[in-house]
Amino acid sequence: MPFDPSTMYPDDEDLTPVAVPHTELSADALRGVIESFVLREGTEYGEREFTLEEKLTHVVHQLERGEAQIMFDPQSNSVDIVVTRKLK
């Protein structure tokens, strides 16, 4: 069953952003979130140009390694991908 962020805050009292496990999203939803992230104005990947598919693959690997995570912000009803520190 896909992740439904609206179930996280039934009474809207706590509007703190929440981490969304990438494994809880459908393949289409995950691709949409990642595409939105990599296509944003100002996203830098260094001197070398990468194709969209390469960029998507890089972000998927970062999510899988725990170097990035998907965050849902209930106040703005938006999703973002943020860099994390993997705990050892």
Side-chain angles (χ1 to χ4, degrees), residues 27-80:
D28 288 340
L30 180 60
R31 183 178 175 94
V33 167
I34 297 172
E35 276 186 12
S36 173
F37 175 73
V38 300
L39 294 174
R40 282 189 203 141
E41 196 72 30
T43 303
E44 282 293 322
Y45 287 88
E47 293 181 22
R48 179 176 173 252
E49 288 292 322
F50 291 94
T51 67
L52 176 60
E53 289 304 316
E54 288 173 319
K55 292 176 184 179
L56 295 174
T57 299
H58 291 162
V59 175
V60 167
H61 289 156
Q62 289 173 328
L63 291 167
E64 289 172 345
R65 291 190 303 259
E67 298 170 357
Q69 66 181 8
I70 299 170
M71 298 297 293
F72 171 71
D73 182 352
Q75 282 189 308
S76 63
N77 201 30
S78 63
V79 177
D80 198 6

Side-chain angles (χ1 to χ4, degrees), residues 3-9 18 20 72 74 77 79:
F3 177 75
D4 180 3
S6 66
T7 63
M8 296 298 298
Y9 303 101
V18 62
V20 178
F72 171 71
N77 201 30
V79 177

